[in-house]
Amino acid sequence: MAKLKGFRLKRSYFSFPYAVLSALFVILPLLITAFYAFTRNGHFSFDNFVKFFTTPNTLKVLLFSLGMAALVTLICLVLAYPLAMMLADSKINRSAVTVMLFIMPMWINSLLRTYAIKNVFQLIGMTNAYVAVIIGLVYDFFPFMLLPLYSILSGMDKSYIEAAGDLGSGAVHTFFKVRLPLSVPGIMSGILMVFMPTVSTFAISEILGDTSTYMFGNIINDWFTASGGSGWNIGSAYSLILLALIAVTMLIANKATGGKASATGNARVGGGIL
């Protein structure tokens, strides 16, 4: 604590700006969204949520989005895990130069990267919209899978692996019995960081895809950009439905890892790499 002219300055006071920003840009938008979602023509109503179940193909598009997000998450995990292992075990990673090469694309605007990929696809003659969207989503969200995996693997106590080797365990057996279980918090954190934004994305599928790759985020965007009517109300209701699905996903992930998926994995992303 410090004293400034008789005023006791507590450390908790430094959280005030963060609390104000959270109230303005997180809590207030959620309240506005909830207001629009539960009203129709200025009156309280559940019609906006009923619209979700009565509109043809809406549930189908949501299931397609969930499947697309699961596939993208799986691809990112399969590609990122061995790379994270290699970076965590190599000596060069101490300077974090190699890791920076993989996270530097995150410094570039996502839309710019998406349009760049679109130009590449046009040059090579890519015509499959589904494959194009998958590649675009993997490219865009791959660093979010790599970072928590690298963080948890680089901070792992290597004595467990050495002990397994001393006891006669082979490389494959050590991986499945020691390294993989210890890296579960990083895996779940990466899954959350990739799966959730993929479900709600709309720009990538709109730029790289066509009507066959229409995702739930595109439906929400269409309602909000619709002129007149109750577009904002329906779009807000759909947003809350998606938010509820994301919340359930987080609860399941935290339950599976004992609360370590977000508390441990995400907290170590910044401090474990840079």
Side-chain angles (χ1 to χ4, degrees):
M1 298 183 183
K3 290 185 178 181
L4 297 176
K5 297 181 180 181
F7 177 74
R8 296 174 63 88
L9 185 62
K10 298 181 179 180
R11 291 181 180 179
S12 59
Y13 293 163
F14 291 101
S15 64
F16 180 74
Y18 175 77
V20 173
L21 291 176
S22 298
L24 290 177
F25 299 108
V26 178
I27 298 177
L28 183 60
L30 283 176
L31 292 177
I32 295 175
T33 301
F35 171 78
Y36 276 102
F38 288 98
T39 58
R40 177 72 75 91
N41 298 322
H43 302 285
F44 180 82
S45 174
F46 287 105
D47 291 345
N48 304 314
F49 294 92
V50 174
K51 184 78 173 179
F52 170 80
F53 297 99
T54 57
T55 302
N57 294 327
T58 300
L59 184 58
K60 181 180 179 181
V61 172
L62 176 59
L63 294 177
F64 172 79
S65 300
L66 293 173
M68 182 80 81
L71 178 59
V72 170
T73 302
L74 179 61
I75 295 175
C76 287
L77 178 60
V78 171
L79 295 177
Y81 199 97
L83 178 59
M85 284 180 56
M86 181 186 69
L87 294 175
D89 293 339
S90 64
K91 295 181 180 180
I92 193 175
N93 75 302
R94 301 307 175 190
S95 62
V97 174
T98 308
V99 182
M100 289 296 294
L101 294 176
F102 290 96
I103 67 174
M104 281 179 64
M106 297 174 60
W107 299 350
I108 305 174
N109 184 274
S110 176
L111 288 178
L112 293 178
R113 287 186 278 123
T114 303
Y115 277 110
I117 295 177
K118 182 179 181 179
N119 291 333
V120 172
F121 287 160
Q122 290 175 346
L123 289 175
I124 64 177
M126 170 69 75
T127 57
N128 192 314
Y130 182 79
V131 175
V133 172
I134 290 292
I135 295 175
L137 290 171
V138 170
Y139 171 69
D140 199 64
F141 296 115
F142 177 80
F144 295 100
M145 179 66 74
L146 177 64
L147 293 183
L149 287 175
Y150 170 78
S151 177
I152 203 76
L153 289 173
S154 62
M156 186 180 297
D157 190 349
K158 299 300 188 296
S159 63
Y160 292 112
I161 300 176
E162 295 173 356
D166 293 339
L167 293 173
S169 178
V172 176
H173 189 266
T174 300
F175 172 77
F176 284 104
K177 292 296 184 179
V178 180
R179 190 189 291 266
L180 186 61
L182 290 176
S183 62
V184 167
I187 294 174
M188 297 306 299
S189 179
I191 289 175
L192 290 177
M193 295 174 68
V194 174
F195 182 83
M196 293 188 294
T198 303
V199 173
S200 59
T201 189
F202 67 91
I204 296 177
S205 58
E206 185 172 325
I207 294 172
L208 300 179
D210 53 23
T211 55
S212 64
T213 57
Y214 199 68
M215 300 182 68
F216 195 66
N218 296 103
I219 294 181
I220 296 175
N221 179 63
D222 289 344
W223 280 115
F224 275 109
T225 56
S227 58
S230 56
W232 278 43
N233 304 87
I234 299 174
S236 297
Y238 285 16
S239 299
L240 288 185
I241 292 174
L242 185 58
L243 182 63
L245 291 175
I246 291 174
V248 170
T249 303
M250 292 187 65
L251 290 174
I252 294 174
N254 286 328
K255 184 71 173 179
T257 60
K260 296 180 180 180
S262 57
T264 303
N266 291 337
R268 299 187 57 181
V269 169
I273 294 177
L274 302 178

